[in-house]
Amino acid sequence: MSWGVFWMFYRCPKCGKMFKSGLDTITERAFGRCPECGTEGTLVAESGKTYPPDPERYADTAL
């Protein structure tokens, strides 16, 4: 049984892009990095305890 992806929500401190990375990709080099500029993102929320009020605004880096 799968409960789905555990999401980590980030905001890029350089360009301001809002994006999310799934913990299933934690071993990938791009995990937690902005898909636009490659800067390491600032953690904003997690899907387990501090889900953001507007999760649909975060770009999915798995796509």
Side-chain angles (χ1 to χ4, degrees), residues 4-59:
V5 177
F6 185 91
W7 292 108
M8 305 290 283
F9 295 87
Y10 296 92
R11 178 170 284 125
C12 179
K14 186 175 180 182
C15 71
K17 179 150 182 92
M18 294 166 42
F19 62 96
K20 61 185 178 180
S21 291
L23 275 187
D24 59 332
T25 63
I26 199 166
T27 59
E28 295 180 16
R29 191 168 163 83
F31 179 81
R33 296 198 168 273
C34 178
E36 295 293 320
C37 69
T39 302
E40 187 174 333
T42 302
L43 183 64
V44 174
E46 301 173 18
S47 61
K49 59 181 179 178
T50 57
Y51 215 77
D54 53 353
E56 67 283 342
R57 292 187 59 207
Y58 291 78

